[in-house]
């Protein structure tokens, strides 16, 4: 069984990548049925990226993966 309730918001943190992540996220966000919050920051490591994601959402439920 798949997820039946779409998220209200998806948060993506680009931690200084140079691999086209920003453009890929922008293209995909345009077709998403929910809000996509895209955060770009200088490379600060996975902990800083996760903290930025956790601090960003405006919704009550948050999940960080990494």
């Amino acid at each position: 069984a798949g997820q039946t309730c779409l998220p209200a918001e998806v948060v993506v943190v680009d931690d200084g990548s140079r691999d086209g992540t920003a453009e890929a996220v922008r293209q995909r966000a345009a077709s998403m049925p929910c809000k996509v919050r895209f955060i770009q920051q200088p490379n600060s490591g996975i902990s800083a990226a996760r903290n930025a994601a956790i601090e960003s959402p405006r919704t009550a439920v948050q999940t960080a993966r990494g």
Side-chain angles (χ1 to χ4, degrees), residues 13-50:
V13 179
D14 179 358
D15 190 45
S17 69
R18 290 179 240 157
D19 63 359
T21 296
E23 184 59 31
V25 170
R26 287 187 186 103
Q27 287 178 359
R28 181 75 176 149
S31 64
M32 293 289 289
C34 61
K35 179 176 180 149
V36 176
R37 185 175 306 276
F38 182 52
I39 301 168
Q40 286 185 284
Q41 64 184 31
N43 184 281
S44 302
I46 191 168
S47 295
R50 186 178 296 124

